[in-house]
């Protein structure tokens, strides 16, 4: 039994050491290492101790080999990472150098632009001064020309004024003589015209008097005609009674332009006849009127006497 326990203890110790190494490598490395499985033979006969020792020796080599592989992988990764970092630093340096070159180029362009701008401003200032000098010279020449023209204009104006004054005096004398002659002529024409106008007015007055008289006679004749027609219309609408015989009534009737009765009033007479006459006028509603304005003016407010006719 003692022979079997010793190899087992050695094997167990080796297993513990391998597990400790694997755990350490696992925590030291960022990536998960590949787990190596080690199979140990269970002692079954008298050769077991020797086989166990051989197995432990083999396992130890494999473990060390695996540890070397893992360490090499870790170093390769570190070298790759360092290479990548160096590459990034190189790119960063190149980018920084390019930015500096671009900044220098922009600065140079800005300096050139400012220099050109200064030159342009200087040229503009020179041109402006030249234009100002030219403008002053022009204004001076123009002023001299204006003063000369003003003097010439004043001389011409004085001469023209004298000429106009002489012309005005001559025309004034001619106008005075013309007006004097014209006044005499108009006075004579007015006298002749007044005489002719007087004769014409006398003739027109005579003719108008004749026409007015004829017109008045015509209007009165028409008024009498329509007065008779109005009386007939009232008689047609008058309801007679034997007691009306020999009696009468005076009425005032107001008419519209189309003959419409606007009002009818009794002015005196037999009461019963007046009542019947007023009813007759209202029953008629519209009475005959002339379209002639002068005739209508005589008829629009008339007084007439109604005598019942049997």
């Amino acid at each position: 039994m003692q022979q079997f326990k010793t190899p087992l203890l050695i094997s167990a110790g080796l297993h513990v050491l391998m597990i400790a190494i694997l755990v350490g490598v696992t925590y030291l490395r960022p990536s998960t290492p590949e787990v190596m499985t080690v199979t140990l033979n269970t002692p079954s006969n008298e050769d077991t101790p020797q086989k166990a020792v051989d197995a432990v020796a083999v396992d130890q080599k494999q473990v060390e080999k695996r540890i070397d592989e893992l360490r090499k992988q870790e170093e390769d990764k570190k070298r790759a990472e360092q290479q990548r970092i160096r590459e990034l630093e190189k790119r960063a340096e190149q980018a920084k150098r390019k930015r500096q070159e671009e900044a220098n180029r922009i600065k140079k362009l800005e300096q050139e632009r400012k220099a050109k701008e200064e030159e342009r401003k200087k040229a503009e200032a020179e041109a402006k001064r030249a234009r100002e000098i030219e403008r002053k010279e022009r204004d001076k020449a123009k002023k001299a020309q204006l003063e000369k023209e003003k003097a010439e204009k004043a001389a011409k104006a004085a001469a023209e004024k004298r000429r106009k004054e002489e012309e005005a005096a001559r025309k004034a004398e001619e106008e005075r003589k013309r007006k004097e002659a014209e006044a005499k002529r108009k006075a004579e024409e007015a006298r002749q015209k007044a005489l002719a106008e007087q004769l014409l007015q006398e003739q027109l007055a005579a003719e108008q008097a004749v026409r007015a008289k004829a017109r008045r006679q015509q209007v009165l004749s028409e008024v009498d005609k329509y007065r008779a027609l109005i009386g007939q219309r009232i008689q047609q609408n008058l309801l007679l009674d034997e007691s009306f015989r020999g009696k009468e009534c005076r009425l005032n009737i107001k008419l519209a332009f189309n003959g419409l009765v606007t009002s009818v009033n009794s002015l005196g007479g037999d009461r019963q006849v007046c009542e019947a006459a007023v009813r007759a006028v209202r029953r008629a509603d519209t009475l005959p009127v002339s379209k002639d304005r002068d005739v209508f003016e005589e008829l629009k407010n008339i007084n007439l006497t109604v005598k019942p006719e049997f």
Side-chain angles (χ1 to χ4, degrees):
M1 292 297 294
Q2 186 66 30
Q3 292 177 351
F4 290 105
K5 286 181 179 180
T6 302
L8 288 173
L9 290 173
I10 295 171
S11 177
L14 291 174
H15 277 292
V16 171
L17 179 61
M18 289 174 61
I19 291 171
I21 292 171
L22 291 174
V23 170
V25 172
T26 300
Y27 282 101
L28 290 174
R29 294 180 68 249
S31 59
T32 304
E34 182 180 351
V35 179
M36 181 179 68
T37 304
V38 179
T39 305
L40 297 177
N41 295 324
T42 304
S44 58
N45 50 38
E46 294 179 353
D47 297 332
T48 298
Q50 184 61 40
K51 290 180 178 180
V53 172
D54 294 338
V56 170
V58 172
D59 290 343
Q60 180 65 27
K61 289 180 180 180
Q62 290 178 350
V63 169
E64 291 176 355
K65 182 180 179 182
R66 183 58 180 167
I67 290 172
D68 291 339
E69 290 176 354
L70 293 174
R71 187 181 296 110
K72 185 178 180 182
Q73 290 176 2
E74 185 67 23
E75 290 176 353
D76 291 342
K77 285 184 179 180
K78 285 182 179 180
R79 283 193 296 272
E81 182 66 20
Q82 290 174 355
Q83 180 65 26
R84 187 179 69 81
I85 291 171
R86 284 194 297 273
E87 185 67 25
L88 290 175
E89 290 175 350
K90 183 179 179 182
R91 291 179 182 178
E93 183 64 26
Q94 290 176 351
K96 181 179 179 181
R97 188 168 56 255
K98 287 182 179 180
R99 286 195 301 271
Q100 185 62 39
E101 290 174 356
E102 182 65 18
N104 293 335
R105 187 181 67 82
I106 292 172
K107 183 177 180 181
K108 183 178 179 181
L109 290 175
E110 182 64 18
Q111 290 174 349
E112 291 176 354
R113 185 192 67 79
K114 287 182 178 180
K116 289 180 180 179
E117 183 67 17
E118 290 295 329
E119 291 178 0
R120 184 186 64 78
K121 288 182 178 180
K122 185 176 180 181
E124 288 181 354
E126 291 294 333
K128 184 177 180 181
R129 282 194 295 272
R131 288 195 301 270
E132 186 65 20
I133 293 172
E134 184 180 356
R135 183 187 64 79
K136 288 181 179 180
E137 291 295 330
R138 269 199 320 271
D139 291 346
K140 186 177 180 181
K142 186 176 180 181
K143 185 178 180 180
Q145 181 65 25
L146 288 174
E147 289 178 353
K148 180 180 178 181
E149 291 176 357
K150 186 177 179 180
E152 292 176 353
K153 188 176 180 181
K156 288 181 180 179
E160 183 67 15
K161 183 179 179 181
R162 288 192 299 272
R163 186 190 66 77
K164 286 183 177 180
E165 288 175 351
E166 293 172 357
E167 183 70 15
R170 183 183 62 78
K171 287 184 177 180
E173 181 63 18
E174 290 177 355
E175 184 66 14
R176 186 187 65 78
K177 292 180 181 180
R178 186 189 66 77
K179 286 182 177 180
E180 185 177 348
E182 184 70 13
K184 290 180 181 180
R185 183 184 65 77
K186 285 184 177 180
E188 182 62 22
E189 288 181 355
R191 189 180 68 81
Q192 295 294 333
K193 186 176 180 181
L195 291 175
E197 189 72 23
Q198 183 180 357
L199 291 174
L200 180 61
Q201 290 295 331
E202 291 175 354
Q203 291 176 0
L204 289 175
E207 291 177 1
Q208 287 177 354
V210 172
R211 286 197 298 269
K213 185 177 180 180
R215 176 63 178 166
R216 182 64 181 168
Q217 290 176 351
Q218 180 184 0
V219 169
L220 291 176
S221 176
E222 287 291 311
V223 169
D224 291 340
K225 171 186 171 182
Y226 279 96
R227 187 185 293 274
L229 291 173
I230 291 171
Q232 290 177 7
R233 180 68 60 82
I234 295 172
Q235 289 291 338
Q236 292 172 0
N237 290 278
L238 184 64
L239 299 178
L240 298 175
D241 188 271
E242 189 63 29
S243 62
F244 295 169
R245 189 179 295 277
K247 298 177 182 179
E248 62 182 30
C249 177
R250 293 181 67 250
L251 297 178
N252 173 258
I253 303 173
K254 294 180 180 178
L255 303 173
F257 70 94
N258 58 353
L260 180 68
V261 177
T262 59
S263 71
V264 55
N265 295 295
S266 173
L267 299 178
D270 184 78
R271 182 179 61 79
Q272 292 181 347
V273 173
C274 286
E275 291 176 355
V278 169
R279 285 195 296 272
V281 172
R282 289 175 177 169
R283 189 178 296 112
D285 187 41
T286 302
L287 298 176
V289 291
S290 174
K291 293 182 179 180
D292 190 316
R293 185 176 182 83
D294 293 334
V295 177
F296 172 72
E297 288 295 324
E298 297 290 335
L299 294 172
K300 68 180 181 179
N301 187 6
I302 63 170
N303 298 327
L304 53 82
T305 300
V306 178
K307 294 181 178 180
E309 297 178 357
F310 292 89

